[in-house]
Amino acid sequence: MLTLHRAALLIADPAAPAAPVTADGAVLVDGALVAWVGPYAGRPDADARQREWPGLLVPGLLNPYGACQLERRYHPDPREELGAEPLVLDVSDERRGGSARRGLQRMLGHGTTAVAGPFAHPAVRTAVARSGLAAVPGDGADGGLDPLAGRSLAEAVHRPLRAGGPAALAVFAAGSAAELERSGAGCCLATVLGGRLLYRGR
């Protein structure tokens, strides 16, 4: 199924020189791949479901702190009454798997479509593999859920949006890259991974 994601602003490749910004931009997704990227007015004539977003559409982000967040932090189940913030807590592999799944959901809520390992716990490796998020090598740096913390948008994107590439994108309630960098990725409105809308902000 074709889906056209239209946004007030589009930056398809934040790491490119001068990072061109397209006002009223769009990304046409065909299954798990990007079919077309450009201004909405120049979109291909296609019978596509359309999603309209009010903010800034960019490629999905890479969280370099994946190993820290999924293996050295525990993401509580709301029924445990341990609060909402990740904790440093030693738990069984079974609980570690549940924690990793909740952590991955929280990462999707920050526009994350790729996480950095390495992942030593089998339960965490399984959770990452089943999530669809790309797992990439990392140095195990200590950090939080926000992939923009201390990093520019150009540094945080996993890969650019281009025709033929993976349909992994995020939309944020921001009017520019600079505003997004100031506010952080917690203003995420939507995360699309493998062409599927896996997170939508309330």
mmCIF file of all heavy atoms in Angstrom, residues 17-52:
data_model
loop_
_atom_site.group_PDB
_atom_site.id
_atom_site.type_symbol
_atom_site.label_atom_id
_atom_site.label_comp_id
_atom_site.label_asym_id
_atom_site.label_seq_id
_atom_site.Cartn_x
_atom_site.Cartn_y
_atom_site.Cartn_z
ATOM 1 N N PRO A 17 25.404 19.184 2.691
ATOM 2 C CA PRO A 17 25.789 20.594 2.745
ATOM 3 C C PRO A 17 24.574 21.491 2.538
ATOM 4 O O PRO A 17 23.787 21.281 1.631
ATOM 5 C CB PRO A 17 26.782 20.734 1.583
ATOM 6 C CG PRO A 17 27.284 19.348 1.345
ATOM 7 C CD PRO A 17 26.149 18.428 1.701
ATOM 8 N N ALA A 18 24.423 22.443 3.411
ATOM 9 C CA ALA A 18 23.317 23.409 3.392
ATOM 10 C C ALA A 18 21.968 22.765 3.690
ATOM 11 O O ALA A 18 20.962 23.453 3.750
ATOM 12 C CB ALA A 18 23.245 24.150 2.063
ATOM 13 N N ALA A 19 21.902 21.461 3.871
ATOM 14 C CA ALA A 19 20.681 20.724 4.244
ATOM 15 C C ALA A 19 19.416 21.385 3.732
ATOM 16 O O ALA A 19 18.730 22.072 4.464
ATOM 17 C CB ALA A 19 20.620 20.560 5.756
ATOM 18 N N PRO A 20 19.111 21.219 2.439
ATOM 19 C CA PRO A 20 17.940 21.900 1.883
ATOM 20 C C PRO A 20 16.650 21.580 2.623
ATOM 21 O O PRO A 20 16.394 20.420 2.971
ATOM 22 C CB PRO A 20 17.876 21.398 0.434
ATOM 23 C CG PRO A 20 18.838 20.280 0.326
ATOM 24 C CD PRO A 20 19.769 20.348 1.485
ATOM 25 N N VAL A 21 15.863 22.633 2.862
ATOM 26 C CA VAL A 21 14.580 22.496 3.545
ATOM 27 C C VAL A 21 13.478 22.680 2.506
ATOM 28 O O VAL A 21 13.485 23.662 1.759
ATOM 29 C CB VAL A 21 14.434 23.548 4.663
ATOM 30 C CG1 VAL A 21 13.073 23.432 5.331
ATOM 31 C CG2 VAL A 21 15.551 23.410 5.684
ATOM 32 N N THR A 22 12.557 21.742 2.459
ATOM 33 C CA THR A 22 11.438 21.820 1.523
ATOM 34 C C THR A 22 10.184 22.184 2.295
ATOM 35 O O THR A 22 9.740 21.426 3.169
ATOM 36 C CB THR A 22 11.230 20.468 0.800
ATOM 37 O OG1 THR A 22 12.436 20.093 0.142
ATOM 38 C CG2 THR A 22 10.097 20.553 -0.211
ATOM 39 N N ALA A 23 9.622 23.361 1.982
ATOM 40 C CA ALA A 23 8.346 23.738 2.583
ATOM 41 C C ALA A 23 7.254 22.923 1.905
ATOM 42 O O ALA A 23 7.296 22.701 0.692
ATOM 43 C CB ALA A 23 8.096 25.227 2.400
ATOM 44 N N ASP A 24 6.277 22.473 2.685
ATOM 45 C CA ASP A 24 5.196 21.623 2.189
ATOM 46 C C ASP A 24 5.789 20.443 1.421
ATOM 47 O O ASP A 24 5.526 20.220 0.244
ATOM 48 C CB ASP A 24 4.229 22.405 1.299
ATOM 49 C CG ASP A 24 2.915 21.644 1.062
ATOM 50 O OD1 ASP A 24 2.645 20.657 1.803
ATOM 51 O OD2 ASP A 24 2.189 22.008 0.139
ATOM 52 N N GLY A 25 6.612 19.681 2.127
ATOM 53 C CA GLY A 25 7.286 18.537 1.530
ATOM 54 C C GLY A 25 6.527 17.247 1.761
ATOM 55 O O GLY A 25 5.594 17.180 2.568
ATOM 56 N N ALA A 26 6.951 16.216 1.036
ATOM 57 C CA ALA A 26 6.261 14.940 1.150
ATOM 58 C C ALA A 26 7.204 13.778 0.879
ATOM 59 O O ALA A 26 8.201 13.931 0.169
ATOM 60 C CB ALA A 26 5.077 14.884 0.188
ATOM 61 N N VAL A 27 6.854 12.628 1.458
ATOM 62 C CA VAL A 27 7.580 11.380 1.243
ATOM 63 C C VAL A 27 6.545 10.323 0.890
ATOM 64 O O VAL A 27 5.606 10.085 1.659
ATOM 65 C CB VAL A 27 8.364 10.953 2.500
ATOM 66 C CG1 VAL A 27 9.048 9.612 2.271
ATOM 67 C CG2 VAL A 27 9.379 12.010 2.901
ATOM 68 N N LEU A 28 6.707 9.709 -0.281
ATOM 69 C CA LEU A 28 5.817 8.641 -0.708
ATOM 70 C C LEU A 28 6.459 7.314 -0.321
ATOM 71 O O LEU A 28 7.594 7.029 -0.694
ATOM 72 C CB LEU A 28 5.581 8.691 -2.218
ATOM 73 C CG LEU A 28 4.627 7.624 -2.785
ATOM 74 C CD1 LEU A 28 3.211 7.796 -2.223
ATOM 75 C CD2 LEU A 28 4.609 7.677 -4.312
ATOM 76 N N VAL A 29 5.718 6.533 0.448
ATOM 77 C CA VAL A 29 6.213 5.255 0.951
ATOM 78 C C VAL A 29 5.463 4.119 0.266
ATOM 79 O O VAL A 29 4.227 4.134 0.196
ATOM 80 C CB VAL A 29 6.030 5.178 2.489
ATOM 81 C CG1 VAL A 29 6.349 3.792 3.007
ATOM 82 C CG2 VAL A 29 6.903 6.224 3.170
ATOM 83 N N ASP A 30 6.214 3.171 -0.246
ATOM 84 C CA ASP A 30 5.642 1.982 -0.884
ATOM 85 C C ASP A 30 6.127 0.765 -0.104
ATOM 86 O O ASP A 30 7.289 0.364 -0.220
ATOM 87 C CB ASP A 30 6.092 1.902 -2.346
ATOM 88 C CG ASP A 30 5.420 0.744 -3.094
ATOM 89 O OD1 ASP A 30 4.613 0.018 -2.480
ATOM 90 O OD2 ASP A 30 5.716 0.565 -4.289
ATOM 91 N N GLY A 31 5.255 0.218 0.730
ATOM 92 C CA GLY A 31 5.666 -0.888 1.584
ATOM 93 C C GLY A 31 6.699 -0.422 2.589
ATOM 94 O O GLY A 31 6.490 0.531 3.330
ATOM 95 N N ALA A 32 7.868 -1.066 2.594
ATOM 96 C CA ALA A 32 8.929 -0.735 3.546
ATOM 97 C C ALA A 32 9.948 0.230 2.964
ATOM 98 O O ALA A 32 10.933 0.553 3.623
ATOM 99 C CB ALA A 32 9.628 -2.011 3.999
ATOM 100 N N LEU A 33 9.711 0.715 1.736
ATOM 101 C CA LEU A 33 10.701 1.567 1.062
ATOM 102 C C LEU A 33 10.134 2.934 0.710
ATOM 103 O O LEU A 33 8.927 3.111 0.530
ATOM 104 C CB LEU A 33 11.200 0.886 -0.219
ATOM 105 C CG LEU A 33 11.895 -0.466 -0.061
ATOM 106 C CD1 LEU A 33 12.230 -1.049 -1.420
ATOM 107 C CD2 LEU A 33 13.143 -0.330 0.805
ATOM 108 N N VAL A 34 11.038 3.899 0.577
ATOM 109 C CA VAL A 34 10.683 5.225 0.089
ATOM 110 C C VAL A 34 10.611 5.159 -1.436
ATOM 111 O O VAL A 34 11.539 4.680 -2.091
ATOM 112 C CB VAL A 34 11.732 6.270 0.526
ATOM 113 C CG1 VAL A 34 11.462 7.613 -0.150
ATOM 114 C CG2 VAL A 34 11.754 6.417 2.038
ATOM 115 N N ALA A 35 9.489 5.608 -1.993
ATOM 116 C CA ALA A 35 9.323 5.600 -3.447
ATOM 117 C C ALA A 35 9.678 6.955 -4.070
ATOM 118 O O ALA A 35 10.119 7.020 -5.218
ATOM 119 C CB ALA A 35 7.884 5.226 -3.811
ATOM 120 N N TRP A 36 9.483 8.031 -3.295
ATOM 121 C CA TRP A 36 9.709 9.377 -3.835
ATOM 122 C C TRP A 36 9.813 10.358 -2.669
ATOM 123 O O TRP A 36 9.160 10.182 -1.638
ATOM 124 C CB TRP A 36 8.539 9.759 -4.753
ATOM 125 C CG TRP A 36 8.569 11.164 -5.241
ATOM 126 C CD1 TRP A 36 9.202 11.654 -6.347
ATOM 127 C CD2 TRP A 36 7.914 12.290 -4.624
ATOM 128 N NE1 TRP A 36 8.995 13.002 -6.442
ATOM 129 C CE2 TRP A 36 8.205 13.416 -5.410
ATOM 130 C CE3 TRP A 36 7.129 12.439 -3.478
ATOM 131 C CZ2 TRP A 36 7.732 14.682 -5.089
ATOM 132 C CZ3 TRP A 36 6.660 13.696 -3.151
ATOM 133 C CH2 TRP A 36 6.962 14.801 -3.954
ATOM 134 N N VAL A 37 10.615 11.416 -2.851
ATOM 135 C CA VAL A 37 10.778 12.486 -1.853
ATOM 136 C C VAL A 37 10.803 13.811 -2.584
ATOM 137 O O VAL A 37 11.500 13.953 -3.602
ATOM 138 C CB VAL A 37 12.096 12.330 -1.062
ATOM 139 C CG1 VAL A 37 12.238 13.436 -0.021
ATOM 140 C CG2 VAL A 37 12.199 10.969 -0.396
ATOM 141 N N GLY A 38 10.075 14.807 -2.099
ATOM 142 C CA GLY A 38 10.129 16.123 -2.741
ATOM 143 C C GLY A 38 9.014 17.033 -2.288
ATOM 144 O O GLY A 38 8.323 16.757 -1.287
ATOM 145 N N PRO A 39 8.788 18.124 -3.027
ATOM 146 C CA PRO A 39 7.700 19.041 -2.681
ATOM 147 C C PRO A 39 6.345 18.400 -2.968
ATOM 148 O O PRO A 39 6.182 17.686 -3.963
ATOM 149 C CB PRO A 39 7.950 20.258 -3.587
ATOM 150 C CG PRO A 39 8.799 19.745 -4.701
ATOM 151 C CD PRO A 39 9.576 18.594 -4.171
ATOM 152 N N TYR A 40 5.389 18.665 -2.113
ATOM 153 C CA TYR A 40 4.061 18.071 -2.261
ATOM 154 C C TYR A 40 3.462 18.387 -3.625
ATOM 155 O O TYR A 40 2.832 17.525 -4.244
ATOM 156 C CB TYR A 40 3.148 18.569 -1.137
ATOM 157 C CG TYR A 40 1.745 18.021 -1.203
ATOM 158 C CD1 TYR A 40 1.475 16.714 -0.804
ATOM 159 C CD2 TYR A 40 0.688 18.811 -1.658
ATOM 160 C CE1 TYR A 40 0.186 16.198 -0.867
ATOM 161 C CE2 TYR A 40 -0.603 18.307 -1.713
ATOM 162 C CZ TYR A 40 -0.851 17.002 -1.321
ATOM 163 O OH TYR A 40 -2.119 16.505 -1.387
ATOM 164 N N ALA A 41 3.668 19.608 -4.118
ATOM 165 C CA ALA A 41 3.109 20.008 -5.408
ATOM 166 C C ALA A 41 3.640 19.151 -6.553
ATOM 167 O O ALA A 41 2.980 19.003 -7.580
ATOM 168 C CB ALA A 41 3.399 21.484 -5.674
ATOM 169 N N GLY A 42 4.829 18.581 -6.403
ATOM 170 C CA GLY A 42 5.423 17.780 -7.471
ATOM 171 C C GLY A 42 5.274 16.287 -7.255
ATOM 172 O O GLY A 42 5.941 15.496 -7.929
ATOM 173 N N ARG A 43 4.379 15.894 -6.352
ATOM 174 C CA ARG A 43 4.227 14.472 -6.017
ATOM 175 C C ARG A 43 3.778 13.674 -7.238
ATOM 176 O O ARG A 43 3.088 14.187 -8.117
ATOM 177 C CB ARG A 43 3.225 14.306 -4.885
ATOM 178 C CG ARG A 43 1.796 14.645 -5.272
ATOM 179 C CD ARG A 43 0.911 14.855 -4.058
ATOM 180 N NE ARG A 43 -0.463 15.172 -4.428
ATOM 181 C CZ ARG A 43 -0.879 16.363 -4.814
ATOM 182 N NH1 ARG A 43 -0.025 17.370 -4.913
ATOM 183 N NH2 ARG A 43 -2.154 16.565 -5.111
ATOM 184 N N PRO A 44 4.146 12.400 -7.283
ATOM 185 C CA PRO A 44 3.676 11.546 -8.372
ATOM 186 C C PRO A 44 2.167 11.349 -8.295
ATOM 187 O O PRO A 44 1.576 11.418 -7.220
ATOM 188 C CB PRO A 44 4.393 10.206 -8.131
ATOM 189 C CG PRO A 44 5.426 10.470 -7.101
ATOM 190 C CD PRO A 44 5.024 11.701 -6.362
ATOM 191 N N ASP A 45 1.566 11.121 -9.428
ATOM 192 C CA ASP A 45 0.138 10.836 -9.466
ATOM 193 C C ASP A 45 -0.051 9.387 -9.042
ATOM 194 O O ASP A 45 0.182 8.466 -9.824
ATOM 195 C CB ASP A 45 -0.409 11.058 -10.881
ATOM 196 C CG ASP A 45 -1.917 10.902 -10.945
ATOM 197 O OD1 ASP A 45 -2.550 10.913 -9.877
ATOM 198 O OD2 ASP A 45 -2.450 10.747 -12.063
ATOM 199 N N ALA A 46 -0.398 9.182 -7.794
ATOM 200 C CA ALA A 46 -0.517 7.821 -7.262
ATOM 201 C C ALA A 46 -1.712 7.741 -6.326
ATOM 202 O O ALA A 46 -2.047 8.710 -5.643
ATOM 203 C CB ALA A 46 0.756 7.443 -6.506
ATOM 204 N N ASP A 47 -2.345 6.604 -6.317
ATOM 205 C CA ASP A 47 -3.474 6.366 -5.416
ATOM 206 C C ASP A 47 -2.909 5.963 -4.060
ATOM 207 O O ASP A 47 -2.633 4.793 -3.811
ATOM 208 C CB ASP A 47 -4.361 5.265 -5.985
ATOM 209 C CG ASP A 47 -5.591 5.022 -5.119
ATOM 210 O OD1 ASP A 47 -5.925 5.910 -4.310
ATOM 211 O OD2 ASP A 47 -6.205 3.948 -5.236
ATOM 212 N N ALA A 48 -2.682 6.958 -3.218
ATOM 213 C CA ALA A 48 -2.015 6.708 -1.934
ATOM 214 C C ALA A 48 -2.852 7.238 -0.778
ATOM 215 O O ALA A 48 -3.505 8.282 -0.889
ATOM 216 C CB ALA A 48 -0.648 7.383 -1.923
ATOM 217 N N ARG A 49 -2.806 6.516 0.327
ATOM 218 C CA ARG A 49 -3.362 7.042 1.579
ATOM 219 C C ARG A 49 -2.494 8.225 1.973
ATOM 220 O O ARG A 49 -1.276 8.198 1.813
ATOM 221 C CB ARG A 49 -3.310 5.952 2.643
ATOM 222 C CG ARG A 49 -3.672 6.441 4.041
ATOM 223 C CD ARG A 49 -3.613 5.332 5.047
ATOM 224 N NE ARG A 49 -2.313 4.694 5.041
ATOM 225 C CZ ARG A 49 -2.030 3.587 5.707
ATOM 226 N NH1 ARG A 49 -2.951 2.970 6.403
ATOM 227 N NH2 ARG A 49 -0.827 3.075 5.672
ATOM 228 N N GLN A 50 -3.093 9.277 2.500
ATOM 229 C CA GLN A 50 -2.315 10.471 2.841
ATOM 230 C C GLN A 50 -2.381 10.754 4.329
ATOM 231 O O GLN A 50 -3.438 10.701 4.938
ATOM 232 C CB GLN A 50 -2.839 11.680 2.054
ATOM 233 C CG GLN A 50 -1.987 12.920 2.242
ATOM 234 C CD GLN A 50 -2.259 13.966 1.181
ATOM 235 O OE1 GLN A 50 -2.282 13.676 -0.008
ATOM 236 N NE2 GLN A 50 -2.482 15.199 1.610
ATOM 237 N N ARG A 51 -1.198 11.038 4.890
ATOM 238 C CA ARG A 51 -1.096 11.478 6.280
ATOM 239 C C ARG A 51 -0.489 12.870 6.273
ATOM 240 O O ARG A 51 0.563 13.083 5.658
ATOM 241 C CB ARG A 51 -0.223 10.530 7.097
ATOM 242 C CG ARG A 51 -0.800 9.124 7.246
ATOM 243 C CD ARG A 51 0.029 8.332 8.239
ATOM 244 N NE ARG A 51 -0.394 6.949 8.350
ATOM 245 C CZ ARG A 51 -1.370 6.505 9.130
ATOM 246 N NH1 ARG A 51 -2.044 7.366 9.864
ATOM 247 N NH2 ARG A 51 -1.667 5.229 9.177
ATOM 248 N N GLU A 52 -1.132 13.792 6.951
ATOM 249 C CA GLU A 52 -0.641 15.176 6.994
ATOM 250 C C GLU A 52 -0.150 15.490 8.395
ATOM 251 O O GLU A 52 -0.838 15.225 9.380
ATOM 252 C CB GLU A 52 -1.745 16.145 6.570
ATOM 253 C CG GLU A 52 -2.178 15.916 5.131
ATOM 254 C CD GLU A 52 -2.963 17.079 4.563
ATOM 255 O OE1 GLU A 52 -3.090 18.124 5.236
ATOM 256 O OE2 GLU A 52 -3.453 16.935 3.435
#
